[in-house]
Amino acid sequence: MLDTAMKQQLGTYLQNIQRPIEVTVFTKEGNDKSAELESLGNDIAGLSAKVSLKIVSGDSGRTPRMTVGPEGEAARVTFAGVPMGHEFTSLVLALLQAGGHPSKAAPELLEQVKGLTKALNFEVYVSLSCHNCPDVVQAINLMAVLNPNVQATMIDGGVFPKEVEEVGIMAVPTLMLNGEPFGNGRMTLEEIVNKVDDDAEAKKAAEISAKEQFDVLVVGGGPAGASAAIYTARKGIRTGIVAERFGGQVMDTLAIENFISVKATEGPKLVAGLEEHVKDYDIDVMTNQRAKEIREIEVDGKKLKEVELENGAVLTTKAVILATGARWREMNVPGEDQYKTKGVAFCPHCDGPLFKGKPTAVIGGGNSGIEAAIDLAGIVEHVTVLEFGDTLRADAVLVKKAESLPNVTIIKNAMTTEVVGDGSKATGLKYKDRLTDEMHDLDVAGIFVQIGLVPNSEFLQNTLELTNRGEIVIDSKGQTSMDGVFAAGDVTTVPFKQIIISMGAGATAALGAFDYLIRN
C-alpha cells in the first residue's frame, strides 16, 4: 500500500509512540477498498512493535473502516474509508496521539477538551482531495483521544456514496454531532470546542476584556495581518492580533505559484509558516474572535481606540490595523442561499469529487473560474462556464487549456438569474443571454461560484470611509479616515488582491501606525 519512502517516513514518526496501541481493520470480502485498508494496516503494524493489528472480516457497519486506540481500551477514533491523500496526516496524528505523543495545541485548550462532560459523537464527511477537511478530522480525533465522552469518525464520501446521497451531503467537510448537522467548512479545534462548551464564550470574553492596553491591535490574521503584527512587534511595542481564524482566506487556497522566491506552495503550508513566524515574537494572538465595532475614546487626555468583539469583550489600544480580508462573492440570486452546500459550492478542490460523473456549472470566467473548470473537467461529466461579460478575464494559457477540453463549454454574456432545485438539492440554474434577453435553463448537479471577492467590512459601515464596494479607503501609509486606524490587504482600496501585495501592505500599515505612535 505504502511505497518505500512513505514507509520510511511513517516509521520515523511511529518512533514517537509512547504506549502500545491497537489498530483494527474491518473488511469485506471482494471489496477493493477493504484490501487497500488491510494492506495499509499491515504496513503500519510492520513499522512499530508498539502497534498491534486486528483484522475483522464481515459486513458490520461502515466497511471498510479502521479504528485506532490505546491497547486495552475501546477505540474512539474511526476512519471509514482509506485515509490517504490529505487525510494520511490525520491518520499519522491519530496513531501518535493514541500512543501518548502530546499534541501541540495550547495547554488551556487541551484542558478544556478534557473537561467536557457531554456525550459527543462526531461524524465528518470528507473527500480525500479536500485540503480543508483534515483540520476538522484532526480536531475531533484529538478530542476523542483526550476525552472518553467523545467519538470521532471520518467518512470518505467517495467510498460511501450511497450514504452521502441519503444524508444529503453536497459539500465537505460536513460535520455532524449526535446525528445532527453541526458545521460546514474548515473548523479549528478551538471553534469546535467552544461551540460544544456552553460556558466557553463567556469565559473567553472575560479573559480578553481583562487584557492590558495594546500599543497596536491588528484585526485579522491573514497575510496582511501577520505581516503587520511582525513589523510592529519588531519595534518593541505591545502588539495583539484578534482574528476569526489565523490565515484567513489563504487557508482555502490550494496552489500558490506566484509567491516570489517560492516556486510553488499551498495555502495551509504558507499559513503554517506565517504562524511560526508570528510565534517568534511576543504577539498576543486571539483567534475565533470577530470584531463588532471600533470607537474612539479619551483617557486622561489621551486618544485611544476601543475594539468591541461580538462576544462582548472590549480591547483598548493606541492604534488599530484592520486586515480583515475578503470572502467569496455570492451571486445574490433566488435559490442560492437555499441550496448553499446542497449544490451551490465555492471550493472545487473540496467539493468537486462529490459531483463525480455529474454535470456542473462554474460561474465566472476569471482565473479562479477557468482554473475551477479545468480541475472539475477531470472529475465530472461536463462543465459549463457562464461568464457575464463578452470576454474571459482569465490568463490566456488557462483559457487555451479550458477550450481544449472536450467536456468544457464556455458561454459568454450569460447572466445567472436563479438557482433551481427540488427542495433538498440544486438541480440546475436559469440564465439570460445578455445580447438577446433570451432565457435558458441549464440542468446541473453542482454550481461553483467563482466571481471574485467581497471585503469583510460590514462592521465599519458607519465608522470609516468606504467605497461603494465596501473597501476601506486608505492613503499611501495605510491610514484610514479615522485618526490612528490603519488598514491593509484585500479589505482596502489596494487595487490588486494578491498575497504578496497584502504582505507588503501589512508592513506599510505597521510602519504607518508606528509613525503615528511616535508623533502622538
Side-chain angles (χ1 to χ4, degrees):
M1 179 66 187
L2 301 178
D3 60 29
T4 302
M6 290 185 74
K7 285 183 179 179
Q8 290 176 344
Q9 187 177 24
L10 180 57
T12 300
Y13 285 133
L14 295 184
Q15 291 177 16
N16 293 306
I17 293 178
Q18 299 172 12
R19 64 187 181 207
I21 63 173
E22 183 174 85
V23 173
T24 303
V25 176
F26 296 80
T27 66
K28 183 164 53 177
E29 191 174 344
N31 181 280
D32 290 342
K33 290 296 180 182
S34 290
E36 286 182 28
L37 192 60
E38 184 172 344
S39 176
L40 178 60
N42 282 314
D43 286 343
I44 294 169
L47 293 170
S48 173
K50 291 184 178 178
V51 179
S52 61
L53 176 66
K54 182 179 179 182
I55 306 294
V56 178
S57 182
D59 193 3
S60 59
R62 297 185 185 98
T63 308
R65 70 183 186 276
M66 171 186 285
T67 63
V68 177
E71 193 173 75
E73 295 183 19
R76 300 189 294 273
V77 174
T78 300
F79 295 92
V82 184
M84 295 299 292
H86 285 297
E87 293 303 341
F88 185 65
T89 301
S90 302
L91 171 62
V92 174
L93 285 173
L95 294 167
L96 295 179
Q97 291 163 357
H101 187 66
S103 166
K104 293 182 180 180
E108 60 271 19
L109 185 56
L110 298 179
E111 289 303 313
Q112 189 179 359
V113 172
K114 292 176 184 177
L116 297 172
T117 58
K118 294 184 289 188
L120 305 171
N121 181 16
F122 287 109
E123 296 173 307
V124 57
Y125 291 86
V126 307
S127 67
L128 299 186
S129 62
C130 168
H131 58 286
N132 290 325
C133 296
D135 277 11
V136 181
V137 175
Q138 290 162 26
I140 62 172
N141 284 354
L142 177 58
M143 292 174 69
V145 168
L146 295 174
N147 191 317
N149 296 311
V150 182
Q151 297 280 337
T153 302
M154 179 216 82
I155 305 160
D156 179 4
V159 177
F160 301 95
K162 185 176 180 181
E163 178 179 345
V164 163
E165 188 171 346
E166 289 174 349
V167 179
I169 304 297
M170 300 187 73
V172 291
T174 291
L175 183 60
M176 310 287 283
L177 174 59
N178 298 334
E180 297 295 329
F182 182 79
N184 288 100
R186 184 190 294 272
M187 296 181 74
T188 64
L189 174 63
E190 185 178 13
E191 286 177 279
I192 295 170
V193 174
N194 286 341
K195 201 169 176 180
V196 297
D197 185 349
D198 298 333
D199 300 325
E201 192 169 0
K203 291 177 185 175
K204 194 66 177 179
E207 177 190 327
I208 291 174
S209 293
K211 291 180 182 290
E212 294 180 10
Q213 176 184 296
F214 290 95
D215 292 314
V216 173
L217 182 66
V218 179
V219 182
S227 173
I230 289 169
Y231 262 75
T232 55
R234 284 175 61 83
K235 296 292 186 182
I237 58 180
R238 179 165 162 73
T239 301
I241 293 178
V242 59
E244 196 165 356
R245 62 172 178 168
F246 196 92
Q249 194 190 29
V250 178
M251 286 294 285
D252 301 326
T253 304
L254 195 59
I256 299 172
E257 298 177 349
N258 57 358
F259 190 77
I260 310 306
S261 83
V262 179
K263 287 184 178 180
T265 187
E266 294 183 349
K269 186 176 180 180
L270 178 60
V271 168
L274 283 174
E275 195 167 11
E276 286 303 309
H277 198 169
V278 166
K279 287 179 179 177
D280 284 343
Y281 298 91
D282 187 18
I283 299 171
D284 190 342
V285 180
M286 297 157 276
T287 55
N288 199 30
Q289 302 298 323
R290 188 188 294 230
K292 178 183 178 182
E293 185 181 355
I294 295 176
R295 49 185 175 258
E296 292 183 292
I297 61 171
E298 191 169 311
V299 178
D300 298 330
K302 295 181 180 179
K303 290 183 179 180
L304 299 174
K305 308 292 179 293
E306 276 187 346
V307 178
E308 183 178 348
L309 308 183
E310 286 195 348
N311 65 4
V314 176
L315 293 163
T316 306
T317 181
K318 296 176 182 177
V320 175
I321 298 175
L322 298 167
T324 48
R327 62 188 183 279
W328 289 116
R329 184 182 299 278
E330 298 179 2
M331 297 181 290
N332 292 319
V333 299
E336 181 179 24
D337 281 342
Q338 180 181 356
Y339 294 110
K340 202 175 289 179
T341 74
K342 298 295 181 181
V344 176
F346 297 86
C347 179
H349 302 294
C350 302
D351 301 332
L354 298 176
F355 299 93
K356 183 178 181 179
K358 299 177 181 179
T360 61
V362 172
I363 313 300
N367 280 346
S368 296
I370 299 303
E371 286 176 351
I374 293 169
D375 289 342
L376 290 168
I379 303 170
V380 305
E381 177 192 68
H382 192 272
V383 184
T384 302
V385 178
L386 300 181
E387 163 58 35
F388 183 84
D390 56 6
T391 58
L392 297 177
R393 294 164 288 111
D395 295 340
V397 64
L398 295 174
V399 174
K400 184 177 180 181
K401 173 64 175 176
E403 291 177 338
S404 72
L405 298 173
N407 63 335
V408 173
T409 300
I410 298 173
I411 302 174
K412 302 169 188 174
N413 292 300
M415 182 173 73
T416 305
T417 60
E418 183 181 356
V419 174
V420 296
D422 61 8
S424 62
K425 64 181 183 300
T427 57
L429 59 80
K430 295 179 183 292
Y431 72 92
K432 182 173 76 172
D433 186 321
R434 294 176 56 243
L435 297 180
T436 65
D437 285 339
E438 185 179 354
M439 296 299 300
H440 297 271
D441 293 310
L442 186 64
D443 294 330
V444 291
I447 301 164
F448 292 84
V449 184
Q450 304 281 291
I451 54 175
L453 302 171
V454 177
N456 295 318
S457 61
E458 287 83 358
F459 71 105
L460 301 166
Q461 294 266 338
N462 301 314
T463 307
L464 302 180
E465 181 185 356
L466 307 176
T467 67
N468 58 3
R469 290 182 293 181
E471 296 171 321
I472 302 173
V473 177
I474 58 171
D475 66 13
S476 60
K477 293 183 178 180
Q479 172 72 57
T480 71
S481 59
M482 181 183 288
D483 199 38
V485 176
F486 296 77
D490 288 0
V491 73
T492 73
T493 48
V494 169
F496 304 110
K497 315 303 185 186
Q498 298 288 312
I499 294 170
I500 197 165
I501 291 174
S502 290
M503 287 184 174
T508 298
L511 295 173
F514 183 66
D515 183 65
Y516 165 81
L517 293 177
I518 291 174
R519 297 176 187 277
N520 293 275

